[in-house]
Amino acid sequence: AIPSQDDMIDGLYNRIYHLIIQFIMENPTSIEYAHKLEWAVHNVERSADRVINICEWVVYMTTGEYVEIASGSVTMQL
């Protein structure tokens, strides 16, 4: 379930990023505010990526095999 949730967060980040760009274009004097908002959204997206990393380490610690989790799928790495 976690990889698909990460994909959902990535999609939300992309949508919000484009909305922020649109906001900047319409409100050029609010760049500082928009930048802070984009930075916050970026950190949420990176947090979701970190959760994927934690899941990979849990799989490794329990199985001894490195498994890369990406794009809603699980692939084995040699």
Side-chain angles (χ1 to χ4, degrees):
I2 290 175
S4 64
Q5 292 173 356
D6 179 57
D7 291 343
M8 180 187 69
I9 295 297
D10 291 343
L12 287 171
Y13 169 76
N14 289 328
R15 286 175 39 203
I16 293 170
Y17 178 81
H18 290 293
L19 288 171
I20 291 170
I21 296 299
Q22 181 180 353
F23 175 81
I24 290 170
M25 291 170 49
E26 294 171 2
N27 304 280
T29 60
S30 298
I31 290 175
E32 184 176 345
Y33 167 76
H35 174 72
K36 289 178 182 178
L37 181 59
E38 194 280 329
W39 186 245
V41 173
H42 166 79
N43 284 321
V44 169
E45 189 275 333
R46 289 301 299 141
S47 296
D49 291 340
R50 298 290 188 220
V51 170
I52 292 291
N53 296 138
I54 292 167
C55 291
E56 291 170 348
W57 278 105
V58 168
V59 170
Y60 178 76
M61 289 188 312
T62 58
T63 67
E65 295 180 43
Y66 177 73
V67 175
E68 185 175 274
I69 302 171
S71 300
S73 64
V74 175
T75 57
M76 298 296 292
Q77 295 291 322
L78 300 175

